[in-house]
Amino acid sequence: MKFHWFHLMPWPYLPEDFPKRYPSVWVDIPPHLYDPVKGHDVYHTYLSQLEFAAECGFDGICVNEHHQNGYGLMPSPNLMAATLARSTHDAKIVVMGNSVALYNPPTRVAEEMAMVDVLSGGRLVAGFPVGTSMDSAFAYGQNPATLREKYRESVELILRAWTAEEPFPFNGKYTKLRYVNPWPRPIQKPHPPVWVPGGGSSIETWEWCATHDFMYASLSYFGYLRAMKSIKSFWETIERLGLEPNPYRAGFLQFVAVADDDAHAEKLYSEAAHYFYNRCLHFPPAYREAPGYTSIASIRGALGSSMSAAMAAQDKTLGWKDFIERGYIVAGSADTVVDRLNHMADEMQIGHLLLLCHFGNMPDETVRYNTQRFAQDVIPRLRHRFDEWEDKWWPADQPAEILARRQAAQAGA
């Protein structure tokens, strides 16, 4: 089993009465709530936390893309990934990811991701999300009815750009280029592994990932208990298509909070949890699902489960005990966390576990405590899960020349 430290990079200074005073944390959040001087410190703190997670032994460190919001301050995950490529050495750089339909032309993504792969010595995982309704339809003005078609064409172009041996023209419906010939090219051959993050029960996305041999990562903020139904449907799709039920085909995002015991966990993490669920997820249903953004089949599949239903039923009066009982957050002693994640692994067969060890306005020292406790007390007890399977969706070992250069640099230092 592999473990990846995921950072949303939220704005930690939203006022306590934010949900009452302002309509949304996304799209039309008031600009005066952002302070760039404080933002300088926030970015450096968050990058240091990702670097600390790499030092603690997490397999991957994850960044992502969002726009015009206080929920996640990374309009360009590639900038963060490039910084981490220089400051880390072993952990994979998981970009989860670039919303490729928002780029014109999408070859910009091929170029920048290739730069990150080269800078990191072949450690890039290339994530390609469709992009949320808030980001794509409202912040970037994309047509939600054609967004997914444009997205898939963009992914096709990027993968071809990475693998073609000669310059080529591309005559797509949404992108037309006389010359496609990006420099640099990725170190990884034929290209970095592709992960596709999704937020729920997207039947078309499951089939598309399966037929293209991409890894599907379910990103939910409402815990594995809610997600079991949708993940079961994902594996039914894999079975229906006659494909190998390799656990590394799938990933899942889970909040975790490790402490000495349940009471200690509540003391350490309760305030940050309330901040996240009550302020960072405060936006109206109208932004969540622009007309045409989600297909009828996926809407049916999401009813009663996963992220869409959970968001629709969100109750801002929930307390810490509700978060725990409903499985939004796996919290408590290391024994408790291991037991619950073993249950998740048994039920969901997830080979890639993405962890939110930071959430809301959690203080830096608490983030580091949570990260270190998870790395020391939880990962070693779960690492053996799925060892019988080959992970085909993971970067290979770095080239010998790059390892030798790094060793020589370390010896010289």
Side-chain angles (χ1 to χ4, degrees), residues 332-350:
S333 69
D335 288 344
T336 296
V337 172
V338 168
D339 287 346
R340 291 181 181 173
L341 294 183
N342 266 321
H343 181 232
M344 183 207 73
D346 291 340
E347 296 294 326
M348 297 172 70
Q349 298 295 303
I350 297 295

Side-chain angles (χ1 to χ4, degrees), residues 210-221:
T211 56
H212 287 79
D213 210 24
F214 300 154
M215 195 279 270
Y216 173 74
S218 177
L219 306 187
S220 169
Y221 301 138

Side-chain angles (χ1 to χ4, degrees), residues 363-401:
D364 181 57
E365 62 271 17
T366 308
V367 176
R368 291 171 181 264
Y369 172 85
N370 194 22
T371 301
Q372 191 165 36
R373 287 293 304 268
F374 190 91
Q376 292 180 350
D377 301 337
V378 178
I379 288 180
R381 298 166 64 182
L382 296 171
R383 175 66 77 189
H384 67 283
R385 299 299 306 251
F386 312 123
D387 277 353
E388 67 274 20
W389 296 91
E390 177 188 0
D391 188 353
K392 303 174 183 178
W393 298 270
W394 193 240
D397 293 337
Q398 293 180 280
E401 300 90 336

